[in-house]
Amino acid sequence: MTNLPAPIERVLYSEEQVSARIQEVAAEISAKYAGRDLKLIAVLKGSVFFLTALARAISIPVKIDFLAISSFSGRTQGVTPGMVRIAKDLDDAIQDEDILLIEDIVDTGFTTRYLLQTLAGRGPRSLGICTLLDRTSRRIVQVPVDFRCFEIGDRFVVGCGLDYQQLYRNLGCIAVLDPAALELDKP
Ligand code: IMP
Ligand code: MG
């Protein structure tokens, strides 16, 4: 038995490793956007943990805004993968601003592509993508990832904002759940 607050099979990245990597990526972002007005946009709820850690580590002034979507990933049974809609829009316009879309994970790419298209139509000065996790092995639609913390394999993970049935977002590490605890493939 584990004493972790989740049925974890394996820790992929410890809290310390995640935090160290976020510092590195934040430094890259700070250098790239120095002298510009950067706005970080996160998708509720998964990306909020990453956004706050990243924003704290970025050394230039940033604005933040949030949107919420209802998405149906390729792992959800009975619905078309890639169906996404905005459930809560941004508070403010993004016209002529440098925008960095903050993602928890880019998996098939459907969600990110939808968001990019939606945001691009609002006339930002620039539009980039920064993701905590990138799972290129499952990509169906190509999206240009500008910054990523970790590439991961085809195992369902939780922690650092990523959930399984809304649980385990508050784990500080990124972990593979025990397959016995997953009901993803059950009808
Ligand atoms: P995509 O549209 O297939 O790229 O799916 C992205 C979304 O699927 C993410 O924002 C997550 O909400 C969810 N997702 C994909 N893989 C995982 C995972 O391993 N753990 C938790 N959520 C995941
Ligand atoms: Mg989710």
Side-chain angles (χ1 to χ4, degrees):
M1 272 298 284
T2 170
N3 58 4
L4 285 163
I8 281 174
E9 179 187 281
R10 190 158 59 94
V11 172
L12 283 185
Y13 296 102
S14 69
E15 187 164 353
E16 292 70 28
Q17 287 173 311
V18 171
S19 154
R21 183 67 188 127
I22 289 176
Q23 298 289 329
E24 289 176 359
V25 171
E28 288 175 34
I29 292 171
S30 306
K32 176 168 176 180
Y33 291 93
R36 291 153 72 180
D37 291 324
L38 179 61
K39 182 182 279 181
L40 309 178
I41 291 182
V43 183
L44 299 170
K45 307 166 191 157
S47 304
V48 170
F49 291 74
F50 179 41
L51 174 124
T52 55
L54 187 70
R56 288 290 302 271
I58 288 176
S59 60
I60 60 170
V62 294
K63 294 179 180 171
I64 61 172
D65 204 347
F66 299 94
L67 52 76
I69 53 169
S70 301
S71 67
F72 309 94
S73 80
R75 292 175 188 270
T76 310
Q77 298 275 330
V79 294
T80 312
M83 280 177 54
V84 184
R85 68 173 183 85
I86 290 188
K88 176 224 171 284
D89 208 338
L90 298 171
D91 285 340
D92 297 309
I94 58 170
Q95 188 158 12
D96 296 330
E97 290 183 284
D98 289 307
I99 301 298
L100 202 47
L101 178 63
I102 309 299
E103 288 277 24
D104 52 356
I105 182 166
V106 183
D107 189 34
T108 63
F110 280 118
T111 309
T112 309
R113 184 181 65 173
Y114 170 82
L115 291 169
L116 275 186
Q117 287 172 346
T118 302
L119 296 176
R122 300 180 184 188
R125 185 184 306 140
S126 69
L127 183 54
I129 302 173
C130 174
T131 188
L132 177 64
L133 304 178
D134 197 356
R135 194 189 276 122
T136 51
S137 62
R138 274 176 45 88
R139 197 75 95 248
I140 297 173
V141 295
Q142 296 310 312
V143 287
V145 172
D146 299 277
F147 304 93
R148 73 163 168 215
C149 292
F150 303 105
E151 164 79 39
I152 60 162
D154 190 9
R155 297 294 306 277
F156 192 85
V157 297
V158 294
C160 295
L162 289 119
D163 73 300
Y164 171 61
Q165 296 185 346
Q166 299 301 328
L167 288 171
Y168 318 127
R169 293 189 196 276
N170 57 325
L171 285 178
C173 61
I174 294 166
V176 175
L177 269 192
D178 185 340
L182 289 178
E183 294 181 344
L184 286 174
D185 295 324
K186 292 184 186 166

